[in-house]
């Protein structure tokens, strides 16, 4: 604790622009630090949601409300430094270098958390509708899947130590272009035989061992919920289930299956596939508007980024 100390005005402005809410630690205002930090996070999330779907006709398309906080922070911090009462107790964090250390620790934890544990993704297309629609955001659990990156920059790669289940929604590096992240639902596991025929999935699970009777082909359970017209086409919505996971899918009654464009696996029919070891077969929930394993093949487990655990 120290009396007679006063924060420098020029440094308050510099920290206000560069460190944002952390400048209020330097000017000895911890409550304001927490207020602006929470406000900054909430406004950033609001901006992210607002700009999830680009639309040039909206008045706010080129406006981010977080910009106002970027201006307010240095101005508010400077005013506090000008009116600072030297008689007040100087807390341990009210120092230029401790403020910088606090910001550095926060930034490091943020990068590590996003690179190795949880990362947000936005949904740009309709291939996973109705579960996920354009403008939605998801949180992906990454730890254990081996692909660790931050903002597109690869940090570390290891072998996957976690197994996905049928029905899981996953983010993965596209097998044909690893620079693109895709999101689909896992349908087939390694060793499974998968058939997609007449808009129905049939799965023959892989044999666990040779001592037990191998499972037979079985259609994935689905129940028609309702039918509605969208964009000039008639869609049927189904409740489908894989194991304990239930979800909705939709099919377009005006769309025929493009079987001759399907991925042709050697030794199999056009609409049948055997999932290789260490690979997955994935589909979009919007079955007639999704480029997925039917068209380009299997997803190696080394391409899996993580599993979706939350949506907002």
């Amino acid at each position: 604790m120290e009396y007679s100390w006063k924060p420098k005005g020029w440094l308050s402005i510099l920290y206000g622009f560069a460190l944002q809410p952390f400048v209020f630690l330097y000017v000895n205002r911890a409550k304001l630090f927490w207020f602006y930090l929470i406000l900054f996070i909430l406004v950033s999330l609001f901006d992210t949601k607002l700009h999830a779907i680009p639309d040039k006709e909206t008045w706010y398309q080129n406006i981010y409300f977080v910009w106002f906080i970027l201006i307010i922070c240095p101005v508010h911090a400077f005013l506090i430094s000008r009116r600072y009462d030297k008689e007040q107790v100087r807390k341990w964090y009210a120092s230029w270098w401790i403020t910088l250390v606090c910001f550095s620790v926060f930034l490091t934890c943020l990068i590590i958390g996003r690179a190795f544990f949880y990362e947000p993704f936005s949904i740009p297309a309709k291939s996973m509708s109705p579960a996920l629609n354009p403008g939605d955001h998801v949180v992906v659990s990454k730890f254990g899947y081996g692909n660790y990156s931050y903002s597109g920059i690869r940090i570390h790669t290891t072998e996957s130590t976690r197994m996905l289940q049928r029905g899981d929604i996953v983010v993965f590096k596209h097998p044909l272009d690893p620079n693109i992240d895709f999101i689909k639902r896992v349908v087939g596991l390694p060793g499974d035989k998968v058939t997609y025929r007449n808009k129905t999935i049939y799965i023959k699970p892989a044999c666990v061992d040779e001592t037990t009777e191998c499972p037979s082909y079985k259609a994935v359970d689905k129940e028609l919920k309702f039918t509605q017209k969208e964009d000039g086409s008639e869609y049927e919505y189904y409740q489908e289930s894989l194991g304990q996971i239930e979800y909705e899918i939709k099919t377009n009654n005006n769309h025929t299956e493009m079987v001759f464009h399907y991925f042709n696996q050697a030794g199999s029919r056009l609409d049948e596939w055997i999932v290789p070891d260490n690979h997955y077969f994935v589909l979009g929930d919007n079955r007639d508007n999704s480029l997925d394993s039917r068209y380009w093949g299997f997803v190696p487990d080394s391409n899996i980024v993580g599993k979706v655990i939350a949506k907002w």
Side-chain angles (χ1 to χ4, degrees):
M1 294 186 297
E2 179 181 331
Y3 299 90
S4 77
W5 174 84
K6 182 178 180 180
K8 294 180 173 60
W10 67 270
L11 192 55
S12 299
I13 295 175
L14 178 62
Y15 272 16
F17 280 113
L19 310 186
Q20 287 301 298
F22 286 85
V23 68
F24 295 103
L25 296 180
Y26 171 64
V27 297
N28 207 19
R29 295 290 190 276
K31 290 183 179 180
L32 284 176
F33 160 71
W34 288 111
F35 170 77
Y36 276 104
L37 180 63
I38 294 172
L39 182 63
F40 186 89
I41 293 172
L42 292 177
V43 174
S44 297
L45 292 174
F46 177 76
D47 278 341
T48 301
K49 194 72 174 177
L50 199 64
H51 294 83
I53 305 176
D55 185 354
K56 295 181 179 180
E57 295 182 1
T58 57
W59 63 270
Y60 55 78
Q61 184 57 42
N62 296 315
I63 298 176
Y64 289 84
F65 292 96
V66 75
W67 291 346
F68 295 102
I69 300 179
L70 301 182
I71 297 172
I72 292 171
C73 277
V75 172
H76 194 178
F78 175 74
L79 293 176
I80 292 174
S81 68
R82 288 291 300 270
R83 302 167 183 172
Y84 191 84
D85 182 6
K86 294 183 179 180
E87 300 301 318
Q88 65 182 291
V89 178
R90 180 187 182 186
K91 301 296 178 61
W92 63 270
Y93 47 76
S95 166
W96 71 267
W97 67 272
I98 293 181
T99 299
L100 198 57
V101 168
C102 289
F103 176 77
S104 300
V105 170
F106 175 83
L107 186 61
T108 301
C109 291
L110 181 65
I111 292 174
I112 292 175
R114 180 165 176 166
F116 290 91
F117 296 98
Y118 302 100
E119 183 173 1
F121 287 87
S122 60
I123 307 301
K126 298 180 179 180
S127 69
M128 281 300 293
S129 177
L132 301 172
N133 296 292
D136 288 344
H137 292 76
V138 295
V139 177
V140 172
S141 174
K142 303 173 67 174
F143 189 73
Y145 295 103
N147 274 305
Y148 304 116
S149 60
Y150 183 84
S151 296
I153 302 173
R154 179 163 293 186
I155 296 177
H156 187 54
T157 303
T158 64
E159 289 188 7
S160 176
T161 59
R162 300 181 70 176
M163 186 73 177
L164 295 169
Q165 302 299 319
R166 298 184 192 91
D168 288 339
I169 299 178
V170 294
V171 172
F172 56 91
K173 301 293 182 184
H174 195 284
L176 304 181
D177 187 355
N179 293 318
I180 301 176
D181 292 322
F182 262 46
I183 183 167
K184 303 291 179 186
R185 191 180 299 276
V186 174
V187 171
L189 303 178
D192 286 354
K193 293 182 179 180
V194 180
T195 298
Y196 187 79
R197 190 173 296 158
N198 298 324
K199 303 192 179 184
T200 299
I201 306 170
Y202 301 85
I203 299 176
K204 182 180 181 182
C207 291
V208 178
D209 55 62
E210 297 180 355
T211 61
T212 59
E213 185 178 350
C214 292
S216 58
Y217 261 113
K218 183 181 178 182
V220 172
D221 294 333
K222 66 177 184 179
E223 178 185 353
L224 179 63
K225 290 297 185 181
F226 59 91
T227 301
Q228 72 178 27
K229 287 191 175 293
E230 298 176 17
D231 302 323
S233 296
E234 185 180 70
Y235 284 85
E236 291 183 339
Y237 284 73
Y238 292 88
Q239 184 80 28
E240 194 172 80
S241 60
L242 281 169
Q244 301 299 316
I245 301 177
E246 294 185 346
Y247 51 91
E248 281 192 351
I249 67 164
K250 68 179 185 179
T251 60
N252 186 344
N253 288 340
N254 301 103
H255 187 278
T256 57
E257 293 182 41
M258 303 175 67
V259 178
F260 292 103
H261 292 277
Y262 283 175
F263 168 67
N264 187 7
Q265 186 180 24
S268 298
R269 295 176 60 178
L270 273 176
D271 56 359
E272 295 180 355
W273 304 270
I274 300 175
V275 185
D277 290 341
N278 304 315
H279 287 72
Y280 297 97
F281 188 91
V282 298
L283 292 178
D285 291 346
N286 190 353
R287 294 287 157 79
D288 294 314
N289 188 19
S290 173
L291 291 176
D292 44 43
S293 287
R294 292 171 294 178
Y295 299 96
W296 40 253
F298 312 102
V299 180
D301 60 7
S302 59
N303 284 41
I304 301 296
V305 174
K307 182 175 75 171
V308 173
I309 60 170
K311 164 194 168 183
W312 61 280

